[in-house]
């Protein structure tokens, strides 16, 4: 119930922003690199990074007489990671896919550079992530024959416990703006772990963090 209340509250805040104050809209297309880092008793596991892209809509509005803004948005991210190995003539391919919906809520401050409508906007805030899917497609090939199996991280028949569909994290970043166009760098650290197990003295987890580079247009 707490998770549902957090998501509902963030979504209602996004919907209410156009009513609360005059502001601006922004669309962003970004490169996303999400790291999956094992820890605890998972230290012998190999971490990996999923590369992909994101599409985001942001609504911002001023909250003071100086250039301080509240920004909230809706962002879809798509991440992919492939790896393979071959042993005794058998090739194993592992294709990981992750799709998430995010609601970032940030505080931003615009610093005008004094020439040609250029400015820098650092920001920080919270990110609410709902994972739509996270799965591995495993394919074994031997002498021209193939067999495949798809394993979801949210399937209780495969994992006990399953991975977390909801994660909350911390955003930090900055954008360079030239008129309505912008380029930004950002990082999101999920302080709610993607996967966590604590049973019979065995403790392991997988933490996630995402680096992104985005191109934006503000209107």
């Amino acid at each position: 119930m707490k998770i549902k209340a957090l998501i509902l509250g963030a979504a209602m805040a996004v919907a209410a922003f156009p009513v609360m104050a005059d502001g601006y809209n922004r669309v962003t297309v970004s490169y996303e690199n999400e790291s999956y880092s094992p820890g605890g008793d998972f230290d012998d596991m190999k971490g990996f990074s999923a590369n992909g892209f994101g599409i985001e809509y942001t609504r911002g509005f001023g909250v003071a007489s100086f250039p301080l803004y509240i920004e909230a948005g809706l962002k879809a991210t798509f991440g992919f990671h492939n790896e393979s190995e071959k042993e005794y003539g058998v090739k194993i391919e592992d294709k990981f896919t992750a799709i998430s919906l995010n609601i970032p809520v940030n505080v931003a401050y615009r610093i005008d550079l004094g020439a040609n409508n250029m400015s820098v906007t650092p920001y920080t805030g919270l990110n609410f992530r709902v994972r739509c899917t996270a799965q591995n497609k495993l394919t074994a090939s031997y002498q021209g024959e193939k067999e495949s199996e798809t394993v979801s991280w949210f399937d209780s028949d495969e994992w006990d416990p399953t991975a977390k569909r909801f994660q909350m994290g911390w955003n930090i970043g900055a954008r360079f703006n030239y008129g309505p166009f912008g380029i930004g760098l950002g990082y999101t650290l999920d302080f709610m772990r993607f996967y966590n197990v604590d049973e019979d003295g065995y403790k392991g987890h997988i933490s996630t963090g995402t680096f992104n580079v985005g191109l934006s247009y503000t209107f």
Side-chain angles (χ1 to χ4, degrees), residues 2-136:
K2 291 182 179 179
I3 291 175
K4 291 181 179 179
L6 281 170
I7 297 173
L8 180 60
M12 290 177 65
V14 174
F17 283 165
V19 177
M20 293 173 64
D22 293 333
Y24 54 87
N25 304 285
R26 185 173 61 248
V27 290
T28 305
V29 178
S30 58
Y31 160 74
E32 305 283 325
N33 179 277
E34 183 177 14
S35 62
Y36 292 77
S37 305
D41 290 334
F42 289 170
D43 277 341
D44 57 339
M45 294 174 57
K46 183 177 69 173
F48 65 92
S49 293
N51 296 293
F53 64 95
I55 302 172
E56 181 178 5
Y57 165 77
T58 303
R59 174 68 180 176
F61 68 95
V63 294
S65 57
F66 50 92
L68 181 69
Y69 304 91
I70 298 294
E71 297 185 338
L74 182 63
K75 181 178 184 180
T77 57
F78 306 81
F80 311 93
H81 174 76
N82 299 337
E83 59 182 58
S84 63
E85 61 180 20
K86 191 172 184 178
E87 190 172 356
Y88 303 113
V90 179
K91 182 179 180 181
I92 304 295
E93 297 178 280
D94 185 355
K95 297 182 178 181
F96 175 78
T97 302
I99 301 174
S100 299
L101 289 177
N102 303 266
I103 299 177
V105 181
N106 296 311
V107 177
Y109 185 81
R110 190 185 72 243
I111 303 171
D112 291 324
L113 300 181
N116 300 320
N117 293 322
M118 292 189 296
S119 63
V120 175
T121 307
Y123 65 87
T124 188
L126 296 175
N127 187 65
F128 303 89
R129 181 202 303 269
V130 178
R131 292 188 177 271
C132 303
T133 184
Q135 62 184 31
N136 293 75

